[in-house]
């Protein structure tokens, strides 16, 4: 019987550098987006205006289904882009820059944080883990070809299979991290649609 807790723990402990790198990347990009807001205005303000217009016109629906599908798409893109390694980092960094910038341009910082923090508690870790899963996927691919290149005997199909078996644990761990990220993003979508606004209204009306 599979010990899921052990598998999840191993996926994180054996790839902690990927997780730490993702955390550092997100924190740096968040701070850069916030403190470099004047320099990012020409680059990111059109993105903010485009999203705002689409929400106003109804092209973007703030429903659980639309938010979930958009967030899950980001998670899976970061995972798949692990094939090219750096693109997982680029996507995470852009999201961090955007959130930091969006926070900086708001007039009411407290209200903005109240509208971001409840679901951000789950969404940001989800993005971090999704990026880490992309790094681990890249590690699997890199080690797969390294192992394959070292083999000399036997048919190509056997060499490919042996390389896959030798590095399967990394692929499994990448998928486990992706699964954890997906679960967190589902929770984030639920909180954003059903709880964020009530929590913000409760806090602002009572404090």
């Amino acid at each position: 019987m599979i010990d899921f807790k052990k598998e999840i723990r191993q996926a994180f402990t054996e790839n902690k550098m990927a997780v730490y790198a993702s955390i550092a990347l997100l924190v740096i990009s968040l701070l850069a987006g916030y403190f470099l807001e004047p320099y990012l205005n020409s680059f990111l303000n059109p993105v903010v205006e485009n999203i705002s217009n689409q929400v106003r016109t109804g092209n973007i629906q703030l429903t659980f289904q639309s938010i979930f599908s958009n967030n899950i798409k980001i998670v899976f893109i970061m995972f798949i882009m692990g094939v090219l390694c750096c693109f997982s980092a680029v996507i995470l960094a852009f999201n961090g820059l955007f959130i930091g910038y969006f926070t900086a341009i708001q007039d009411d910082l407290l209200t903005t944080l109240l509208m971001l923090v409840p679901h951000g508690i789950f969404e940001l870790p989800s993005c971090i883990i999704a990026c880490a899963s992309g790094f681990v996927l890249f590690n699997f691919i890199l080690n797969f070809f390294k192992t394959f290149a070292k083999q000399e005997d036997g048919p190509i199909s056997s060499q490919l299979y042996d390389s896959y078996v030798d590095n399967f644990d990394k692929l499994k761990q990448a998928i486990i991290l992706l699964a954890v990220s997906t679960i967190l993003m589902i929770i984030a979508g639920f909180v954003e649609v059903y709880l964020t606004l009530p929590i913000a209204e409760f806090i602002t009306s009572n404090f």
Side-chain angles (χ1 to χ4, degrees):
M1 186 174 180
I2 299 175
D3 187 341
F4 288 106
K5 288 184 179 180
K6 181 181 178 182
E7 294 287 351
I8 293 171
R9 186 164 55 249
Q10 278 188 326
F12 278 92
T13 55
E14 293 184 14
N15 300 286
K16 58 186 177 182
M17 292 308 298
V19 176
Y20 292 158
S22 299
I23 292 172
L25 180 62
L26 181 61
V27 171
I28 291 169
S29 60
L30 282 168
L31 294 174
Y34 187 85
F35 290 107
L36 299 178
E37 173 261 323
Y39 306 98
L40 297 171
N41 187 65
S42 61
F43 171 54
L44 290 178
N45 195 57
V47 179
V48 174
E49 290 183 350
N50 180 54
I51 293 174
S52 298
N53 289 334
Q54 290 192 61
V55 171
R56 280 196 299 268
T57 58
N59 291 331
I60 293 180
Q61 300 288 328
L62 298 180
T63 63
F64 175 76
Q65 182 178 357
S66 64
I67 290 173
F68 170 73
S69 61
N70 179 70
N71 289 348
I72 288 298
K73 181 169 68 175
I74 293 172
V75 165
F76 275 85
I77 288 174
M78 276 196 278
F79 174 73
I80 294 169
M81 286 296 101
V83 172
L84 301 174
C85 185
C86 63
F87 281 93
S88 296
V90 169
I91 296 168
L92 182 63
F94 177 81
N95 278 275
L97 275 175
F98 180 81
I99 294 170
Y101 172 81
F102 179 80
T103 303
I105 63 174
Q106 302 306 307
D107 295 327
D108 190 338
L109 179 60
L110 177 60
T111 300
T112 301
L113 290 176
L114 289 174
M115 295 300 293
L116 291 175
V117 170
H119 61 274
I121 291 171
F122 302 98
E123 186 173 321
L124 294 183
S126 173
C127 290
I128 288 168
I129 297 169
C131 183
S133 73
F135 290 155
V136 177
L137 177 63
F138 178 77
N139 192 12
F140 160 75
I141 294 170
L142 189 64
N143 289 334
F144 172 85
F145 283 109
K146 282 183 178 179
T147 305
F148 175 72
K150 291 178 181 178
Q151 298 187 46
E152 298 178 354
D153 300 325
I156 299 260
S157 58
S158 296
Q159 293 180 25
L160 289 171
Y161 178 74
D162 290 343
S163 298
Y164 168 77
V165 171
D166 288 344
N167 297 285
F168 174 74
D169 280 348
K170 278 299 171 195
L171 177 60
K172 179 178 67 176
Q173 289 169 1
I175 294 171
I176 288 172
L177 293 175
L178 175 65
V180 172
S181 174
T182 301
I183 292 169
L184 287 174
M185 196 59 84
I186 292 171
I187 298 171
F190 178 85
V191 172
E192 184 172 1
V193 173
Y194 298 111
L195 297 178
T196 292
L197 184 58
I199 290 171
E201 290 177 343
F202 173 80
I203 293 175
T204 53
S205 62
N206 287 277
F207 296 95

